[in-house]
Amino acid sequence: MTSSDSGSLVIDSLAAGGRSDTPWWQRSFWVVTEGAVAAVLLIAGGLTALQTAAIVSALPFAIIILISMFGMWRALRIEGHRNQSLDQNNKLPPHLLKPSAWRERIDYMTDKPTRDKVLNYIKEVVMPSMMEVSSKFAETGWTTEVNYDAANNRAVLELQRGDDVEFWYEVRLSEHEAPDYYTESSADTLPQEHYHRAEVYLRRGGQTYDLYGYKSESVINDIIDQFEKYLHFLNVSPDSLPWRMQAHDDAITLEQGSVLDK
């Protein structure tokens, strides 16, 4: 009885989208339904039929669990090599580390730029920096491409050599809620509910740091730093790794696309 009661409670919660405060009639429905199914199986074939039905219904979930186990093993192995090869630290940009740049450092920490300011920064600073890097790599025989995706507000640099080395560096506009101290209005300004960042994304996801405020030389150095880490990652990864780098899908749904399109 305890197992049946617990099972009915779980089914009821799943059917309600995870809610636990479901109405009494809904809980009663699942209790009666589960009891009726068990009674029919017992009458039709006894305990053997009930056990067979339980095994058959659990088989699809067992297959899903096996697939999930493989995915978990694959993800942990990739993450292990990534942690071994990449020592990522989100430092201030080099041009802000000069002793004489303390005023710029304060601006960097307190500025919460608007959407238009970040978009202009991506177009006027990031894109030309990517073009310079692309031009230099093209001189050395690399296949390069720089694009600006206006629909998703992002600038993308691709470096490729053969089938194995394919580097992707992207700077994307992202929107965030402004902290409480920033939304407090003053006598001559209105509160700003959101601020925007120029975040860096690589092939394996976002890097959780903001480029806004970097000068062109610092953007170029950041691209080269990430490329160097990527090459090191490939060097320490054995040939037996269970994946190959796949081409990035331009049609991928951006996490914040629905927000930025508004």
Side-chain angles (χ1 to χ4, degrees), residues 54-65:
I55 294 173
V56 171
S57 62
L59 182 59
F61 294 100
I63 296 174
I64 294 174
I65 290 174

Side-chain angles (χ1 to χ4, degrees), residues 200-236:
V200 175
Y201 281 74
L202 303 180
R203 180 174 301 283
R204 294 302 176 185
Q207 302 304 296
T208 68
Y209 67 92
D210 182 15
L211 268 190
Y212 183 80
Y214 280 46
K215 296 187 185 301
S216 179
E217 182 179 353
S218 299
V219 174
I220 292 174
N221 284 327
D222 188 66
I223 295 173
I224 295 173
D225 287 345
Q226 292 291 359
F227 180 72
E228 187 175 24
K229 292 178 181 180
Y230 173 73
L231 290 182
H232 182 58
F233 171 68
L234 295 181
N235 289 334
V236 302

